[in-house]
Amino acid sequence: MTKRNIVVTALLAGFYLLVQLLAAKRVLLPYDLQILGLICINIMLAVSLNLINGFTGQFSIGHAGFFGIGAYASAYLTVVHDVPFLIALCAGAVFAAVIGIVIGLPALRLQGDYLAIATLGFGEIIRVVILNIPQVGGARGFSGISRATSFGHTYLFMILTVLIIKNFISSYHGRACIAVREDELASETLGINTTFYKVSAFTLGAFFAGLAGGLFSHYMGYINPAANQIGFLKSIDILIMVVLGGLGSITGSIGAAIFLTLIPELLRGLAEYRMIVYPIILILIMLFRPAGLLGGKELSWDALSRFYQRFAGKRQKQRVTGDGSE
Amino acid sequence: MQWQLLAAQLINGIALGSTYALIALGYTMVYGIIRLINFAHGDIFMLGAYFGLIAISSYNLSLIPAMIISMCLAALVGITLDRIAYRPLRQSPRITVLITAIGASLLIQSLAQLIFGADYRSFPAKAIPIKIIRLGSIIITNRQIIIFGTAILLMILLHLIVNYTKLGKAMRAVSMDKEAAQLMGINVDRVIAFTFAVGSALAAAAGILVGILYNSVDPYMGTLPGLKAFVAAVLGGIGIIPGAVFGGFFMGIAENMVVAFGSSTYRDAVAFAVLILVLLIKPSGLLGKRVQEKV
Amino acid sequence: MAANELLRISTLSVSFGGLKAISNVDMTVYEGELVGLIGPNGAGKTTLFNALTGLCRPTSGEIVFSGKNLSKKSAHYISRQGITRTFQNIRLFKSLSALDNLRIACHQNMSYTFLGGILKTKNASRQEEEAEKQAWAMLEIMGLSQYAHERSVNLSYGNQRKLEIARALVTKPRLLLLDEPAAGMNPAETQELLHLIRSLRSDFGVTIILIEHDMNLVMNLCERIFVLDYGVLIAEGSVEEIRSNEQVIQAYLGADV
Ligand SMILES: Nc1ncnc2c1ncn2[C@@H]1O[C@H](COP(=O)(O)OP(=O)(O)O)[C@@H](O)[C@H]1O
Ligand SMILES: [Mg+2]
């Protein structure tokens, strides 16, 4: 383990302990804890969608479908078949991944806006199918799910998700995905099986979305097949996080997920304006900063320290040459 | 399954299909000219329904003036949308514009909810008093006939505009080759604005017709018909005007056949199933030609 | 000339709708050769490269490379057999650095699994180091080291062409197809390119087919030349033979030479 890894691990563990301590002292109320959990779940969704949309360049707007599959499949297993929570959680994620392959193989032959619209279609079909399964509550929703997810679960799985996707991206497999985004034909002539990598990224993304779904349904104890839960509107929510943070920036997605989960809480009184502010943000970003706030770059210690050095360096230079004439 | 029921659903399908066709025309024209899936198109359709509703119920206008006013207002909205949100992005990647369009769609919906309220509102019955016409054992309502008739009339009008007016011809030129059209002195931005205006006006008319057909108007009514009409446009070959008409009727009839023979909970899934089948089997649409990327 | 046959194309045709871009082309290339492929614009040269690299399906005919039948195989498979190319209109990974362009091209030389990458196993790290070394070495050879961290789209036109050749070479091809590498270069750059291509063949032992409009370059560089016109192979032979071929002069060279 390098020194930096130790520091990062300590920081992450420290944050967890701090949250637990504050929760025990009732500084953080159960409601706050729930928000923190939702932040983790949204980070998982945003980062996994970024793998598909940002890094591999395959524009999907049906991500919530996989979230829904994970949420329902795992809940079905724990509620109807008494499967232990963690096993059901993984099974839900695997199921979402399998559906990801089934959908990805045909859909990823399409490109650009056609692919977008096809994923939207698949997402809605998933939702309609769930809506028509009486065993999981149909249109009324699925209630009576054990609240087995703790903040700790969401936190741990969020860290794992980010770590796995980050390492995947920096492997040669991840670079192949980026190559697909940049130029599919050129990638093929370099020996990259572009179909394989498109489907892989899609499947991996679906897996983590499914995992997030399982955590979510067992966090809330209830899930329903509304468009803003597992349908088009939820997909758009996730998309906004990815776009705001920047396509191809993991740290950007994390930041945006935190920000966009917190903002409605902070602006409680303005709840009804939320649905107006969101789309305006989306349009403004596209008009003025289409690469997102971080523009595909990662926020890292190196970048921060470089920034600091430049900043400090400038001030030093100013001090050296600074005679006040400027 | 009796054949009367089948006939009734077929008639429903044709009425509904004619509204899909009107919406699909807007999608197809805009796509043909700037390669953009204008996600907000369905919401302009919704606005059109509200404009008509207000004109009829608050200003006591009759159907035809209400429809004309609604179409004009919707055309303005369409032009404004293009000017503010899309025109600055003409040189941007298509995905950027697509995201903007999604944003515009959500924004129009939320604004409509804020202004008009989230509840359903119904068209005043006096707009078109319902009459039932019997043809043997088949029942047709006068509303269905009016919807179908208006739609066909508007399509003929569109056909005349596109083929016989200067702006219409310019529109076709731009959709064939933007650069060449520009070189020939066509003001491309104006032509695009005109396309948005015409498409939006047709969508607004469809909004009123659907409002009459289902007797209900709400801020989210545009999403599903919008998507279905988009599917209709893709089915007919996006960018091809007769294709949109064909696709619209096809979708309307298919949807009602599923209701007749299957379950009505799956009626909305039909569109997406058709979409996916078309995209996978013949992405250029039934009437479209395949284009290949040149290396 | 080594008699080892590397590539044999027989009665190859490619059509787009009604247009026959390539018709019944027969061609053989031997190991270690540097051959030119010339012909007027629209003659079907690029299309031939596309067919060879699997980017477009031949309508009929056969492509045999080093004893393997490659017709109807996918592009990435063909690349793995050792054929790779550059593009007439440069197709670099634009938003990535020069170094990353080359690191991506190391794809075929790497083998660790998804899990290996996620867990960052020793094997994975070793392969990554190796790839990085290869990428740097190639930048060095091409004289592009100082642009390693520059976004490839910001390089000069000539350097972009060189980077694209570098990217192709990193895959360790046995046959390299260059599609108008000198297009848009000034005379000095073209001269430099000429030396570069020559040294590539000796240093990497790679066989090269070169499409080029610059007749001086082709005549200087290539041992053998194929001439396409309207999709038909109208001549093949040594520089001298081509220079004096009536049909070629009529179809193409005419005013030029
Ligand atoms: N993908 C394609 N679709 C249709 N026609 C094509 C395609 N690619 C090439 N062509 C046509 O094939 C002919 C040969 O083109 P090309 O191989 O690019 O010529 P060259 O490289 O010799 O200039 C041209 O007429 C060109 O228009
Ligand atoms: Mg060419």
Side-chain angles (χ1 to χ4, degrees):
Chain A
M1 237 191 202
T2 64
K3 208 164 166 187
R4 180 189 299 173
N5 286 352
I6 295 172
V7 173
V8 170
T9 313
L11 277 177
L12 288 171
F15 179 77
Y16 177 71
L17 291 177
L18 182 70
V19 168
Q20 293 300 344
L21 186 73
L22 292 178
K25 294 239 183 269
R26 316 263 326 141
V27 177
L28 283 175
L29 301 176
Y31 181 77
D32 302 318
L33 223 51
Q34 181 173 329
I35 299 295
L36 286 176
L38 289 181
I39 287 179
C40 294
I41 288 170
N42 281 337
I43 290 176
M44 291 170 70
L45 286 171
V47 173
S48 60
L49 183 63
N50 208 342
L51 174 63
I52 301 171
N53 284 17
F55 289 101
T56 317
Q58 303 304 303
F59 205 77
S60 163
I61 45 177
H63 209 50
F66 300 118
F67 177 73
I69 291 175
Y72 271 91
S74 62
Y76 174 76
L77 289 177
T78 58
V79 172
V80 180
H81 293 291
D82 281 329
V83 175
F85 168 59
L86 285 178
I87 295 176
L89 191 64
C90 295
V94 169
F95 189 51
V98 170
I99 301 291
I101 297 179
V102 172
I103 291 176
L105 267 176
L108 291 164
R109 284 169 25 200
L110 304 167
Q111 289 178 340
D113 35 15
Y114 277 86
L115 172 64
I117 210 83
T119 53
L120 172 83
F122 275 119
E124 285 305 293
I125 288 176
I126 290 173
R127 194 174 75 85
V128 173
V129 169
I130 290 176
L131 198 70
N132 281 287
I133 303 177
Q135 287 87 341
V136 293
R140 279 177 294 112
F142 195 4
S143 49
I145 306 168
S146 74
R147 291 172 169 252
T149 306
S150 66
F151 165 72
H153 285 122
T154 62
Y155 190 64
L156 182 68
F157 281 110
M158 179 273 288
I159 291 172
L160 279 176
T161 303
V162 172
L163 194 69
I164 289 173
I165 291 181
K166 179 182 157 292
N167 284 356
F168 176 78
I169 287 302
S170 60
S171 75
Y172 82 100
H173 299 294
R175 282 201 299 278
C177 290
I178 295 172
V180 169
R181 172 190 77 194
E182 293 287 313
D183 190 328
E184 238 179 286
L185 276 179
S187 306
E188 278 277 331
T189 64
L190 298 173
I192 295 172
N193 184 344
T194 54
T195 309
F196 173 78
Y197 281 105
K198 283 196 274 185
V199 175
S200 297
F202 200 70
T203 306
L204 214 55
F207 176 87
F208 288 111
L211 195 62
L215 288 168
F216 180 78
S217 58
H218 290 86
Y219 205 40
M220 312 305 281
Y222 171 75
I223 178 105
N224 77 61
N228 63 356
Q229 293 287 306
I230 64 167
F232 177 58
L233 291 175
K234 179 70 181 175
S235 292
I236 298 297
D237 270 356
I238 309 169
L239 180 69
I240 293 176
M241 292 175 194
V242 173
V243 170
L244 177 67
L247 290 163
S249 167
I250 291 179
T251 38
S253 285
I254 296 174
I258 296 173
F259 177 71
L260 289 176
T261 317
L262 280 180
I263 204 104
E265 305 301 324
L266 299 177
L267 302 176
R268 253 298 135 83
L270 302 176
E272 54 184 297
Y273 293 98
R274 192 191 125 200
M275 281 316 292
I276 293 182
V277 173
Y278 267 33
I280 291 180
I281 294 178
L282 198 61
I283 296 173
L284 289 180
I285 295 173
M286 285 303 106
L287 287 176
F288 298 109
R289 203 166 161 73
L293 293 185
L294 283 186
K297 296 201 178 57
E298 297 291 352
L299 203 59
S300 67
W301 297 126
D302 293 345
L304 278 181
S305 69
R306 231 179 295 139
F307 180 74
Y308 174 77
Q309 269 159 18
R310 206 185 320 153
F311 183 67
K314 223 179 247 161
R315 288 206 356 209
Q316 226 154 40
K317 233 185 261 160
Q318 259 173 10
R319 219 174 295 144
V320 174
T321 59
D323 50 13
S325 62
E326 263 183 316
Chain B
M1 188 66 49
Q2 301 98 332
W3 70 275
Q4 282 101 326
L5 181 59
L6 189 67
Q9 291 294 8
L10 190 65
I11 291 165
N12 276 341
I14 291 173
L16 184 62
S18 54
T19 64
Y20 287 163
L22 285 181
I23 313 174
L25 284 169
Y27 270 120
T28 247
M29 287 191 297
V30 167
Y31 192 93
I33 215 154
I34 54 173
R35 313 281 137 188
L36 161 70
I37 299 174
N38 179 15
F39 257 95
H41 192 60
D43 303 288
I44 290 179
F45 154 89
M46 173 271 296
L47 285 182
Y50 270 106
F51 293 151
L53 177 83
I54 291 166
I56 292 173
S57 59
S58 307
Y59 293 92
N60 274 318
L61 294 178
S62 60
L63 182 65
I64 293 175
M67 189 173 278
I68 293 173
I69 289 177
S70 164
M71 288 172 74
C72 292
L73 288 177
L76 276 181
V77 175
I79 292 175
T80 314
L81 178 67
D82 172 54
R83 184 70 195 77
I84 296 177
Y86 303 151
R87 199 196 285 184
L89 296 174
R90 290 272 196 269
Q91 310 303 328
S92 308
R94 276 157 70 180
I95 288 304
T96 309
V97 198
L98 188 71
I99 297 173
T100 311
I102 293 173
S105 160
L106 294 176
L107 182 62
I108 295 177
Q109 265 174 35
S110 315
L111 285 174
Q113 188 191 333
L114 199 71
I115 297 168
F116 305 124
D119 299 330
Y120 288 86
R121 290 171 65 179
S122 45
F123 255 82
K126 65 176 182 202
I128 309 176
I130 203 159
K131 283 199 205 84
I132 286 173
I133 300 156
R134 286 176 196 279
L135 291 175
S137 53
I138 303 170
I139 295 172
I140 304 180
T141 67
N142 61 331
R143 289 186 177 176
Q144 287 169 329
I145 293 177
I146 289 173
I147 288 167
F148 181 72
T150 315
I152 294 294
L153 201 69
L154 288 171
M155 287 172 202
I156 293 172
L157 203 63
L158 176 72
H159 177 80
L160 296 178
I161 290 177
V162 170
N163 287 294
Y164 299 104
T165 67
K166 217 172 149 192
L167 265 174
K169 286 179 190 164
M171 213 167 96
R172 286 192 298 159
V174 173
S175 77
M176 267 180 244
D177 190 336
K178 216 192 234 165
E179 276 75 41
Q182 203 141 28
L183 288 177
M184 283 162 54
I186 293 175
N187 181 342
V188 171
D189 276 328
R190 221 176 93 210
V191 172
I192 295 173
F194 176 70
T195 309
F196 270 90
V198 173
S200 305
L202 292 176
I208 295 181
L209 298 178
V210 167
I212 292 171
L213 187 67
Y214 291 137
N215 201 22
S216 104
V217 174
D218 72 276
Y220 305 106
M221 69 183 279
T223 311
L224 265 182
L227 287 172
K228 288 173 186 171
F230 172 76
V231 176
V234 174
L235 177 65
I238 196 145
I240 304 170
I241 287 181
V245 175
F246 162 78
F249 282 111
F250 182 95
M251 293 301 302
I253 294 170
E255 191 178 321
N256 277 282
M257 287 301 130
V258 168
V259 176
F261 291 105
S263 144
S264 62
T265 43
Y266 278 101
R267 77 181 297 165
D268 294 337
V270 178
F272 297 110
V274 170
L275 171 74
I276 284 157
L277 282 179
V278 175
L279 288 182
L280 297 182
I281 296 166
K282 196 163 185 296
S284 50
L286 294 182
L287 307 183
K289 279 197 295 258
R290 207 175 193 122
V291 279
Q292 219 184 5
E293 186 184 6
K294 272 198 188 183
V295 184
Chain C
M1 189 189 303
N4 236 345
E5 177 182 299
L6 184 65
L7 173 75
R8 184 160 42 81
I9 302 172
S10 29
T11 58
L12 189 80
S13 298
V14 179
S15 329
F16 299 106
L19 177 84
K20 262 204 154 180
I22 298 276
S23 41
N24 291 322
V25 166
D26 292 295
M27 230 171 117
T28 306
V29 176
Y30 299 90
E31 192 107 49
E33 268 193 308
L34 207 173
V35 304
L37 178 60
I38 63 173
N41 256 325
K45 306 180 296 292
T46 300
T47 305
L48 184 62
F49 273 15
N50 289 346
L52 281 176
T53 48
L55 294 185
C56 78
R57 278 271 148 93
T59 327
S60 63
E62 230 182 31
I63 299 166
V64 177
F65 177 71
S66 164
K68 269 202 186 111
N69 189 339
L70 292 187
S71 2
K72 306 214 164 98
K73 287 284 194 286
S74 63
H76 59 89
Y77 176 86
I78 290 174
S79 170
R80 284 175 177 267
Q81 302 313 306
I83 304 183
T84 194
R85 68 179 291 175
T86 65
F87 295 88
Q88 182 176 345
N89 39 354
I90 307 175
R91 295 188 82 134
L92 286 166
F93 302 128
K94 291 197 187 65
S95 71
L96 305 182
S97 68
L99 183 66
D100 280 342
N101 266 273
L102 300 194
R103 288 205 319 168
I104 286 174
C106 292
H107 192 82
Q108 301 180 31
N109 317 333
M110 310 180 81
S111 60
Y112 65 84
T113 59
F114 275 22
L115 199 61
I118 288 167
L119 298 177
K120 293 206 167 172
T121 57
K122 274 225 178 69
N123 179 29
S125 308
R126 197 178 41 73
Q127 289 186 22
E128 284 294 333
E129 269 166 37
E130 184 58 32
E132 179 135 8
K133 228 185 280 167
Q134 281 171 11
W136 275 110
M138 189 57 72
L139 283 174
E140 195 69 43
I141 292 171
M142 291 286 171
L144 294 171
S145 299
Q146 75 258 44
Y147 306 113
H149 297 292
E150 194 79 43
R151 272 160 62 108
S152 62
V153 69
N154 295 338
L155 299 190
S156 74
Y157 200 75
N159 282 337
Q160 287 192 30
R161 288 246 178 245
K162 280 205 285 190
L163 183 60
E164 214 191 14
I165 296 174
R167 189 179 68 176
L169 282 173
V170 170
T171 67
K172 301 185 177 155
R174 293 176 61 196
L175 175 64
L176 177 62
L177 311 177
L178 300 175
D179 198 344
E180 304 197 17
M185 283 189 175
N186 61 36
E189 284 175 323
T190 307
Q191 205 55 37
E192 193 196 332
L193 184 76
L194 190 143
H195 293 298
L196 183 72
I197 294 175
R198 250 196 210 124
S199 64
L200 287 185
R201 179 179 43 172
S202 47
D203 295 353
F204 291 88
V206 60
T207 309
I208 297 175
I209 306 180
L210 173 77
I211 295 178
E212 192 44 71
H213 276 303
D214 186 325
M215 277 310 124
N216 270 329
L217 188 74
V218 178
M219 300 285 175
N220 260 317
L221 207 51
C222 302
E223 290 109 28
R224 225 149 51 89
I225 294 174
F226 293 89
V227 188
L228 269 180
D229 191 24
Y230 290 111
V232 181
L233 194 67
I234 55 167
E236 77 171 272
S238 68
V239 173
E240 291 317 311
E241 285 164 346
I242 295 299
R243 247 196 242 278
S244 55
N245 185 309
E246 272 308 312
Q247 224 180 338
V248 175
I249 293 169
Q250 241 173 29
Y252 180 64
L253 297 174
D256 279 56
V257 176

